[in-house]
């Protein structure tokens, strides 16, 4: 399954793909997140419902969003992971996988639902921004301001941001388990990352 973005409608399309996956009795998934620069958090949390699970909660905590001195937990919309009967999930990612994509991958990596990450280190954007206009009637300039930083669920509110640095992907990215070049191929038959995922599954037999 290829996720090119988390734009509006992505979760509906993904849900349809997951239903087809389930009905056909599939258990191994290759999720292609390469060149996905992110998008809407609401789409990401809906899609994460299928891919992230803490093993029992109705909604799974994905990450901690820290804004000034307050923090909030980003949650999946539901917990649909168990119903998918995944045997193994391989994720393709590269240096152009960023923002909401990294949030999803970080949560999958944290809970161990991404069995193998293949590709190259992701972009490393673990912050979020808001847009503000300089005039109330929106005729002024628009200013983009960074307002928060994203951490995994090991974030400790008793510690400073610097002391929690090991728990964020900002400026670092997510490293693959299996390295593969950022190749743009005409089809998956010639795609080294895709072939590496097939080889990984073959090694499980």
């Amino acid at each position: 399954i290829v996720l090119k973005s988390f734009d509006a409608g992505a979760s509906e399309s993904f849900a349809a793909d997951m239903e087809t996956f389930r009905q056909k009795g599939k258990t191994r998934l290759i999720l292609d997140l390469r060149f996905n620069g992110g998008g809407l958090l609401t789409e990401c949390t809906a899609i994460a419902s299928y891919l992230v699970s803490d093993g029992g909660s109705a909604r799974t905590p994905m990450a901690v969003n820290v804004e000034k001195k307050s923090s909030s937990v980003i949650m999946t919309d539901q917990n649909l992971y168990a119903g998918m009967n995944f045997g193994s999930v391989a994720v393709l990612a590269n240096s152009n996988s960023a923002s909401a994509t990294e949030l999803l991958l970080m949560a999958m990596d944290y809970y161990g639902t991404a069995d193998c990450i293949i590709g190259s280190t992701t972009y490393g954007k673990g912050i979020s921004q808001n847009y503000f206009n300089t005039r109330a009637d929106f005729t002024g300039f628009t200013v983009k301001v960074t307002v928060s930083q994203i951490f995994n669920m090991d974030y400790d509110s008793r510690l400073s941001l610097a002391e929690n640095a090991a728990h964020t992907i900002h400026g670092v990215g997510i490293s693959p388990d299996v390295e593969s070049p950022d190749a743009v191929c005409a089809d998956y038959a010639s795609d080294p990352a895709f072939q590496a995922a097939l080889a990984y599954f073959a090694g499980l037999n």
Side-chain angles (χ1 to χ4, degrees):
I1 295 178
V2 181
L3 270 174
K4 294 185 179 296
S5 75
F6 289 99
D7 290 344
S11 60
E12 293 180 8
S13 177
F14 188 81
D17 289 338
M18 286 288 91
E19 182 60 20
T20 300
F21 184 92
R22 187 187 63 79
Q23 289 182 357
K24 290 187 175 181
K26 303 295 183 181
T27 60
R28 292 179 176 177
L29 172 67
I30 298 176
L31 179 63
D32 192 347
L33 297 177
R34 293 174 297 177
F35 303 101
N36 184 333
L40 300 173
L41 179 61
T42 52
E43 296 295 310
C44 178
T45 56
I47 288 171
S49 298
Y50 293 91
L51 299 169
V52 174
S53 176
D54 62 1
S57 302
R59 299 175 65 201
T60 301
M62 292 178 63
V64 179
N65 184 56
V66 179
E67 183 173 352
K68 293 184 178 179
K69 293 184 179 181
S70 64
S71 63
S72 59
V73 177
I74 298 171
M75 310 280 289
T76 63
D77 290 5
Q78 303 177 71
N79 191 342
L80 305 173
Y81 177 82
M84 297 312 303
N85 194 34
F86 289 125
S88 185
V89 177
V91 183
L92 311 184
N94 66 8
S95 59
N96 291 289
S97 303
S99 194
T101 302
E102 292 178 289
L103 170 61
L104 173 61
L105 187 52
M106 181 178 72
M108 293 179 70
D109 190 40
Y110 180 82
Y111 288 109
T113 57
D115 298 290
C116 186
I117 302 171
I118 300 169
S120 57
T121 302
T122 60
Y123 185 83
K125 183 180 182 291
I127 55 176
S128 62
Q129 293 83 29
N130 278 346
Y131 293 85
F132 302 92
N133 199 279
T134 57
R135 296 187 61 175
D137 61 359
F138 295 98
T139 60
F141 295 100
T142 297
V143 180
K144 183 179 181 181
V145 180
T146 297
V147 295
S148 65
Q149 187 167 351
I150 306 296
F151 295 83
N152 70 23
M153 293 308 301
D154 285 332
Y155 171 81
D156 189 338
S157 61
R158 297 168 298 180
L159 304 177
S160 67
L161 295 184
E163 291 172 313
N164 276 292
H167 308 310
T168 181
I169 49 87
H170 186 63
V172 180
I174 299 169
S175 300
D177 300 307
V178 177
E179 292 190 2
S180 181
D182 286 2
V184 178
C185 304
D187 54 54
Y188 279 111
S190 56
D191 188 321
F194 182 78
Q195 294 303 317
L198 294 182
Y200 168 74
F201 287 153
L204 299 178
N205 294 331

